[in-house]
Amino acid sequence: MSDAWLKKLTDPSPWVAPEPRPEPIEVDDLVVRLFAPGNGPKLFEAINADRAALQPWMAWSTTDHLSLDDSIHYVERVRRAAEKPGCLGFPVGIFDRASGVQLGGTGLHHIRPELRSAEIGYWVRGDRQRSGICTRAIGALISSALRSAADGGWELRRIVIYNAVGNVGSRRVCERLGLRLEMRMRRERYLEPLGYQDMLGFAVLDDEWDFEVHRAKPTIGWRE
């Protein structure tokens, strides 16, 4: 166990974002990275390619990014926010490595510095769903999130993913990555037009993660 890894496991101090921010993650034919200047049109095209396919699970798809200008302004806002000290949310794009086309989005959200934990959400553009993009991208992002800053990561210790019970595709990403199902929250979220939905909460800790294969170790489970 490296000194950097031991420090990450035992350091009680609040989390701060690594400086500089971690580099883009490459996995197979994908690049998972923070948004860069000029990425607004890529984001809008990805959402608008088949907006109906994002519904009803991505509620923002009915209210946000309704025009190219919306996406341009969003990218500039989150890009500048990510550069500031104290930022606790880092939206990330999933891109095709060869063409640069945006394939989806994810990110580290609702970071809790005192616990060194973050929530991950994700979506894939409607015309590229059911092709394994999300599983590969999220596995690689979790590896980066839980890796020590000395090794080029975000130095978090716990990742949580929530998804609606009816969102089978989202749930299968968590299952394929071997994440632990920790909770089922009854009627926790309202989604139009479905109404109130049960939510599932999956999680993994840094010492439960296999960084070589970007998935949880097979021994993950409840422990006293």
Side-chain angles (χ1 to χ4, degrees):
M1 182 178 292
S2 70
D3 291 342
W5 185 256
L6 182 61
K7 178 179 182 297
K8 186 167 77 75
L9 289 177
T10 59
D11 187 357
S13 61
W15 177 89
V16 293
E19 186 61 48
R21 304 295 188 252
E23 294 293 319
I25 310 155
E26 295 187 356
V27 53
D28 301 329
D29 56 339
L30 307 176
V31 177
V32 184
R33 61 169 174 79
L34 295 169
F35 286 103
N39 281 170
K42 293 177 183 285
L43 174 59
F44 180 72
E45 195 276 332
I47 295 170
N48 213 42
D50 187 353
R51 195 176 291 266
L54 300 177
Q55 302 165 9
W57 314 117
M58 303 294 109
W60 53 260
S61 65
T62 64
T63 58
D64 300 341
H65 302 283
L66 299 181
S67 71
L68 175 58
D69 282 346
D70 290 343
S71 297
I72 291 173
H73 293 155
Y74 171 84
V75 165
E76 287 308 300
R77 176 170 57 82
V78 301
R79 185 183 66 79
R80 293 175 185 177
E83 296 174 349
K84 296 179 180 179
C87 184
L88 298 178
F90 297 89
V92 170
I94 304 169
F95 299 87
D96 181 87
R97 180 157 58 175
S99 68
V101 169
Q102 184 163 352
L103 304 176
T106 179
L108 301 174
H109 308 294
H110 307 300
I111 295 174
R112 301 175 66 184
E114 74 282 6
L115 298 178
R116 294 177 177 260
S117 70
E119 179 183 338
I120 286 180
Y122 42 81
W123 59 274
V124 172
R125 55 187 291 158
D127 57 356
R128 294 296 299 273
Q129 293 179 2
R130 292 176 291 280
S131 59
I133 290 171
C134 207
T135 301
R136 288 180 287 144
I138 300 310
L141 178 60
I142 293 176
S143 289
S144 180
L146 298 178
R147 190 173 287 121
S148 69
D151 293 325
W154 290 89
E155 200 156 297
L156 294 162
R157 57 170 288 276
R158 174 175 164 86
I159 293 297
V160 179
I161 296 176
Y162 298 106
N163 45 57
V165 169
N167 191 350
V168 177
S170 181
R171 186 177 77 243
R172 284 178 177 167
V173 170
C174 295
E175 293 170 347
R176 291 188 188 107
L177 293 174
L179 306 188
R180 176 178 51 253
L181 176 61
E182 291 191 344
M183 67 186 79
R184 178 168 180 153
M185 297 168 283
R186 295 286 293 168
R187 300 178 185 174
E188 191 271 347
R189 195 160 304 179
Y190 186 86
L191 295 173
E192 187 70 36
L194 302 177
Y196 287 102
Q197 298 292 298
D198 287 8
M199 297 294 292
L200 301 176
F202 291 85
V204 66
L205 298 171
D206 48 6
D207 60 347
E208 299 170 329
W209 190 252
D210 188 328
F211 293 86
E212 294 297 321
V213 297
H214 304 306
R215 60 164 288 125
K217 298 173 183 177
T219 55
I220 187 171
W222 288 105
R223 293 181 298 179
E224 295 294 336

